[in-house]
Amino acid sequence: MILEDNLGPDSDAFYNALMNTHEGLTEAQSHALNARLVLILANEIGDLKTLTALLETARRS
Amino acid sequence: MAYDYAPFPYTPPLGLTEPEQRHAIVIVGAGPIGLAMAIDLAQQGVASVVLDDNNVVSVGSRAICWAKRTLEIFDRLGIGERMLAKGVTWKVGRNFHGDKQVYAFDLLPEPGHKYPAFINLQQYYVEQYLAERAQDFPDLIDLRFLNKVTNHTDHGDHVALSISTPDGNYTIETNYYIACDGAGSATRKRMDLPFEGQTFEEHFLIVDVEMETSPFGNHDTPERWFWFNPPFHNGQSALLHKQPDNIYRIDLQLGPDTDPKEEATEEKVIPRIKAIVGDTPFRLDWMSVYKFRCAKLDRFVHNRVIFVGDSAHVVSPFGARGGNGGIQDVDNLGWKLAAILKQDAPASLIESYNTERVHGSAENILNSARATNFMTPKSPIEALFRNEVLKLAADHSFARKMINSGRLSQPCNLATSPLQTPGDAPILPGFPIIDAPLEGSNVTTWLIAEAQGQFTLVTASPTPLPAIEGINRIGINQQADYPCFISVGGHAETRYGTDKIYLLRPDGHVCAVFNTADPIAIKAAQDRALGATT
Ligand SMILES: Cc1cc2nc3c(=O)[nH]c(=O)nc-3n(C[C@H](O)[C@H](O)[C@H](O)COP(=O)(O)OP(=O)(O)OC[C@H]3O[C@@H](n4cnc5c(N)ncnc54)[C@H](O)[C@@H]3O)c2cc1C
């Protein structure tokens, strides 16, 4: 699990792209998008141990 | 004490009584950009007429943060040291969420630079220093206050201007019309040029207060403090900066649904300031309510009309890229115009000002818009992400980096421009000069002070530099019949390496790097930087 910066110079560009992806959606649509995004990212990571650690970190914060 | 806005003198211009000869350059607007432009040209022996509809410096502090690169350019223009002496130097920024600090940054962690990462200095001082510096060139700078440009027509090989003064109207002609008439540029409007971008819905209250006691509390070194959800202000954000004369800049985000006129009143503002500073006595110096915009022209060069500064591009102020960006325009254009007028370069070199500065301003707009978007969430979901970033930042450094309260002005990288010859070195072609302390015969100096203003070869290698007409030479840790200096503290060697030769453009950007002192290759790189077509 990496909690130091891993996006380097692209951090702002990523954040911006994420906001653009939500543009024009209702709140409910946005929450649904977030849910889909989590599932897609989980599949991309593909490692249960990492995913479990990430889930716990998100829950704790 | 409040700044004394002494009016500049007006004298009736010649054109009112007899036709003036066609001028080489007319600069419309004597804001920081127009004045800097005239001085840059004068330093190269090029005369200009500067017209301004007003006769005082900027009312209100407006631009306060001047970046290192800007100060280095102002050093070349002769007011850098004066700005540094008067300005408030800072380099640490702190971001707070509520009353907790979540992230701090140090903008200039290393020593060995003449200028700090930033100074704060009110725009009226900068304009005053520029106007006074312009008076050093009575034969080259013809500064005309209360001369309002009311019309202009491009005739292909020259531009005709109509001007109104307190004593009536007159006309003049010029080979180049430099539009430095600011964000509301009438020149741009007359030409009906699209000025597109993003307008932010939020209002921001900008206040300058004078007070003896520092609102930074125990921190006696000035810093930049930024709050998300500040405890003292029921709004999204607040920003605090120190300026000279015990003046503090406070920016408060007010939200989209406020009446700007009503907000900019003492009844409304005083309680907001008291919420921050408590019972400490203060004096309101200036206040204004803004809605910010990021927009630019598609092209900055339209035949004989050239846009420079806010007339060409505007940004929201978070990142301080407005005035700082405009000064880089001046730096880029000055030597090119001078080279064209002296016939050292083809007129087409002007196109490279367009390419390089459209690129630079696009970068400024991208960064300023992202920061403003982060600070002003447009929907509940944007607010949600923003708040969770701030919460995660308490524990995780990746989230700290996502906090965006303004990515502060950085010099532009011109690597993609055709004027540069690609190459490999510690400082790549396209990047600006990096300063280093030097020692000459009993004088301590700085690389930026020695190398800017002309094409210059610089090396910290033992290789002797060849004599080439039109190119200055600076040897570091060498002995030769051209100016040589000893590096102080080893900074020049670290920054430039000990096996490379650099060719700098007059604006201090590296345009080529060499491993050997090959005069033919060096000359070819200079020709390329001067826009020679091969
Ligand atoms: C609240 C605020 C904070 C800011 N903070 C910063 C900061 O921290 N750092 C930074 O770098 N920038 C900052 N800026 C931006 C900065 O103020 C501008 O980028 C800068 O003033 C642009 O200079 P300029 O010379 O292009 O235009 P201006 O300063 O607008 O000057 C234009 C000049 O043209 C004259 N003029 C206009 N029309 C005519 C005409 N028809 N005939 C003759 N003359 C004419 C005007 O009188 C004026 O003197 C800030 C701006 C604001 C509003």
Side-chain angles (χ1 to χ4, degrees):
Chain A
M1 185 169 60
I2 307 164
L3 293 167
E4 326 287 40
D5 169 45
N6 193 31
L7 287 161
D10 295 329
S11 180
D12 287 351
F14 162 71
Y15 193 85
N16 197 51
L18 179 62
M19 294 305 110
N20 287 345
T21 310
H22 282 277
E23 190 142 347
L25 300 184
T26 64
E27 236 181 299
Q29 286 169 330
S30 270
H31 287 306
L33 185 145
N34 283 336
R36 289 195 297 276
L37 183 60
V38 169
L39 297 171
I40 293 168
L41 289 173
N43 183 59
E44 179 77 27
I45 292 165
D47 172 51
L48 184 61
K49 244 174 76 191
T50 310
L51 286 166
T52 314
L54 292 172
L55 290 170
E56 280 165 7
T57 306
R59 176 80 199 211
R60 252 198 329 267
S61 291
Chain B
M1 263 233 318
Y3 180 81
D4 175 22
Y5 290 93
F8 295 114
Y10 157 81
T11 33
L14 180 68
L16 283 172
T17 44
E18 58 183 88
E20 296 183 25
Q21 283 196 340
R22 185 178 293 174
H23 299 281
I25 294 188
V26 168
I27 297 168
V28 181
I33 304 308
L35 289 168
M37 191 76 241
I39 294 165
D40 198 346
L41 291 168
Q43 290 195 162
Q44 302 174 75
V46 175
S48 64
V49 175
V50 186
L51 305 166
D52 198 276
D53 57 355
N54 203 342
N55 66 343
V56 283
V57 293
S58 162
V59 174
S61 61
R62 292 172 71 202
I64 59 163
C65 299
W66 303 96
K68 177 169 181 290
R69 180 65 201 141
T70 304
L71 294 167
E72 293 173 351
I73 297 167
F74 278 135
D75 188 85
R76 183 171 67 73
L77 299 182
I79 66 159
E81 291 183 3
R82 197 171 172 196
M83 287 177 69
L84 182 63
K86 176 76 184 175
V88 168
T89 294
W90 66 274
K91 60 183 187 126
V92 171
R94 294 180 198 280
N95 287 323
F96 300 88
H97 183 203
D99 55 10
K100 274 212 305 284
Q101 178 181 318
V102 283
Y103 181 49
F105 51 87
D106 184 340
L107 291 164
L108 192 64
E110 51 168 30
H113 297 265
K114 178 169 183 181
Y115 289 96
F118 272 94
I119 66 160
N120 287 351
L121 183 65
Q122 296 87 320
Q123 185 164 333
Y124 43 75
Y125 279 118
V126 178
E127 291 186 23
Q128 178 200 326
Y129 296 172
L130 285 167
E132 286 168 12
R133 172 70 176 141
Q135 280 155 23
D136 292 343
F137 304 94
D139 301 332
L140 292 171
I141 302 179
D142 179 350
L143 194 47
R144 303 182 186 180
F145 294 102
L146 300 181
N147 275 243
K148 182 186 170 104
V149 176
T150 54
N151 204 1
H152 79 278
T153 316
D154 191 337
H155 292 287
D157 65 340
H158 73 277
V159 180
L161 293 80
S162 310
I163 301 159
S164 80
T165 75
D167 297 319
N169 304 333
Y170 70 107
T171 57
I172 51 173
E173 292 179 352
T174 179
N175 290 331
Y176 288 97
Y177 176 116
I178 317 292
C180 302
D181 49 354
S185 173
T187 309
R188 198 179 64 217
K189 289 175 186 156
R190 274 196 297 273
M191 294 169 72
D192 205 18
L193 299 173
F195 196 59
E196 272 154 21
Q198 184 181 4
T199 301
F200 300 93
E201 293 307 313
E202 305 280 302
H203 288 97
F204 287 85
L205 171 68
I206 316 274
V207 189
D208 281 349
V209 296
E210 183 183 344
M211 50 190 280
E212 291 290 323
T213 324
S214 163
F216 286 105
N218 303 334
H219 293 254
D220 49 353
T221 8
E223 299 181 344
R224 174 192 197 260
W225 285 12
F226 190 96
W227 288 265
F228 293 98
N229 306 329
F232 49 78
H233 170 61
N234 182 20
Q236 297 279 5
S237 73
L239 175 63
L240 177 67
H241 266 295
K242 184 179 187 347
Q243 305 169 51
D245 306 339
N246 283 334
I247 293 192
Y248 294 87
R249 161 71 68 79
I250 298 168
D251 292 9
L252 296 173
Q253 189 175 341
L254 295 179
D257 309 315
T258 41
D259 176 354
K261 280 228 173 64
E262 196 188 313
E263 288 297 340
T265 56
E266 290 196 9
E267 300 80 79
K268 281 285 213 173
V269 171
I270 286 175
R272 292 191 188 281
I273 304 302
K274 282 197 168 152
I276 306 172
V277 305
D279 291 331
T280 318
F282 63 87
R283 180 184 67 81
L284 279 184
D285 186 69
W286 176 65
M287 59 190 169
S288 189
V289 172
Y290 284 91
K291 239 179 158 177
F292 294 116
R293 190 161 63 128
C294 285
K296 68 176 198 37
L297 287 169
D298 281 343
R299 290 185 51 81
F300 297 173
V301 176
H302 291 263
N303 190 41
R304 296 271 162 175
V305 179
I306 304 169
F307 291 87
V308 185
D310 274 15
S311 68
H313 46 72
V314 292
V315 292
S316 52
F318 307 100
R321 288 167 182 264
N324 287 300
I327 294 301
Q328 290 187 55
D329 292 350
V330 171
D331 196 35
N332 194 292
L333 180 60
W335 66 272
K336 293 177 182 173
L337 262 182
I340 292 167
L341 291 171
K342 294 176 187 167
Q343 300 187 334
D344 292 337
S348 58
L349 179 62
I350 227 56
E351 184 57 24
S352 73
Y353 163 73
N354 185 67
T355 338
E356 293 186 342
R357 290 313 300 161
V358 164
H359 161 75
S361 83
E363 195 174 279
N364 287 333
I365 284 181
L366 185 72
N367 281 289
S368 304
R370 281 176 184 167
T372 316
N373 280 327
F374 190 86
M375 291 161 50
T376 62
K378 288 191 299 297
S379 64
I381 208 75
E382 287 196 9
L384 179 67
F385 269 109
R386 216 279 301 274
N387 286 337
E388 295 311 312
V389 166
L390 289 167
K391 270 195 230 158
L392 282 171
D395 291 327
H396 306 304
S397 66
F398 87 91
R400 262 164 250 160
K401 242 199 80 192
M402 284 182 173
I403 299 174
N404 192 345
S405 70
R407 304 286 181 227
L408 289 153
S409 177
Q410 291 291 322
C412 183
N413 167 13
L414 304 174
T416 53
S417 152
L419 298 194
Q420 275 65 256
T421 305
D424 193 25
I427 306 173
L428 291 170
F431 281 90
I433 183 170
I434 301 178
D435 204 3
L438 301 175
E439 194 165 300
S441 38
N442 300 326
V443 286
T444 34
T445 180
W446 298 90
L447 187 57
I448 55 142
E450 300 299 329
Q452 299 192 101
Q454 311 85 14
F455 277 96
T456 306
L457 284 170
V458 175
T459 193
S461 76
T463 316
L465 298 172
I468 301 172
E469 208 195 309
I471 303 184
N472 283 2
R473 291 174 286 174
I474 289 178
I476 298 170
N477 300 337
Q478 291 192 336
Q479 274 191 324
D481 60 354
Y482 45 82
C484 288
F485 301 89
I486 307 288
S487 165
V488 178
H491 295 294
E493 297 91 311
T494 317
R495 289 167 192 166
Y496 288 80
T498 49
D499 57 353
K500 297 284 174 188
I501 297 168
Y502 293 79
L503 180 61
L504 303 176
R505 315 191 320 185
D507 60 9
H509 281 260
V510 174
C511 64
V513 293
F514 308 92
N515 294 321
T516 56
D518 174 359
I520 294 168
I522 294 169
K523 186 71 191 134
Q526 187 202 23
D527 289 346
R528 178 170 173 165
L530 281 167
T533 38
T534 43

